[in-house]
Each structure stands twice: as structure tokens, then as C-alpha cells.
Amino acid sequence: MDLTAIGNRVRVARKGKMLTQEKLAELADVTPHYIYEIEHGLKAMSLDTLEKVSLALDLSLDYLFGGDDMSAKGESTPASDSHLNAEINRLSRTEKLALINILSGIIARLKNESK
């Protein structure tokens, strides 16, 4: 089991959901320091914690252990999503909010056009 790879997937997913380590810790009922240790590959998770983290981040256990099936709902995620998430994570909070506003407008327009 590659703890570093698992930790990296947790960190990327957490940041993709714009959660702090503190918020994820709250959702998983652990300490923020424990989340830090998980993300840096220093600690393995118990089954209970693994379940709580995967639910909080909407990640499949398969994905956490190195698979391609990212969503806990079983929806396949293309490899390009990882690149997109990385790019989004590089944005400032202000830039992320602007991106959300832009995408919301585009989505609304697409929904109207598909009616």
C-alpha cells in the first residue's frame, strides 16, 4: 500500500472540493494533524477513517488505492480531470470564485438551449 500516493489523492480531492484540512478532519471525525499525516503519507487510515474520508470527499475506495474510478457513485473520471483539478487548485480564491460565476452562466445557458 503506497501511503504517499493515497495521501496525495486525498490532498488533491480535498483541495478540489475547496476544503481545509480542518474541515475534512471535522467531517471524518479526526484531528487536522491526522489529516496532515495522511496527506503526507505518514499514517495509514483505519477502515473507519478510510470510509469517512472517502464519503466526505465523494471518492471511491478503488480510487484512493490507485484505481481510475474516482467517484464513490461509480462514475468514471477521465485522466484529464486530474490536470483540470491541478490547474484549478493553482488559482487564488478570487479567481476560483470568478471561474464559478463564469461556469454557472455557461451551465444555465446550456440548460436553456437543451430545452
Side-chain angles (χ1 to χ4, degrees):
M1 178 166 43
D2 186 347
L3 296 180
T4 302
I6 292 170
N8 186 53
R9 286 176 178 235
V10 168
R11 181 176 51 256
V12 168
R14 175 182 61 79
K15 288 182 176 184
K17 293 203 173 277
M18 293 192 262
L19 295 174
T20 63
Q21 287 181 339
E22 291 76 14
K23 184 61 178 175
L24 178 56
E26 180 184 320
L27 294 170
D29 196 28
V30 295
T31 66
H33 184 71
Y34 188 58
I35 295 297
Y36 169 86
E37 290 177 317
I38 291 168
E39 290 184 356
H40 287 84
L42 303 173
K43 292 273 183 167
M45 291 180 268
S46 68
L47 290 176
D48 184 53
T49 302
L50 185 61
E51 178 185 29
K52 289 177 182 176
V53 167
S54 70
L55 288 172
L57 297 173
D58 190 31
L59 296 176
S60 71
L61 296 179
D62 175 62
Y63 175 76
L64 283 175
F65 286 103
D68 293 331
D69 188 9
M70 186 175 194
S71 172
K73 295 177 183 75
E75 298 167 358
S76 181
T77 303
S80 61
D81 284 0
S82 295
H83 177 71
L84 179 60
N85 284 336
E87 291 297 321
I88 291 170
N89 287 333
R90 288 188 190 104
L91 298 175
S92 71
R93 180 168 168 72
T94 303
E95 291 168 330
K96 285 178 186 175
L97 291 173
L99 179 60
I100 289 169
N101 287 334
I102 292 167
L103 291 175
S104 294
I106 292 170
I107 291 168
R109 186 172 189 155
L110 288 173
K111 286 182 178 181
N112 285 335
E113 288 177 3
S114 68
K115 288 182 180 179

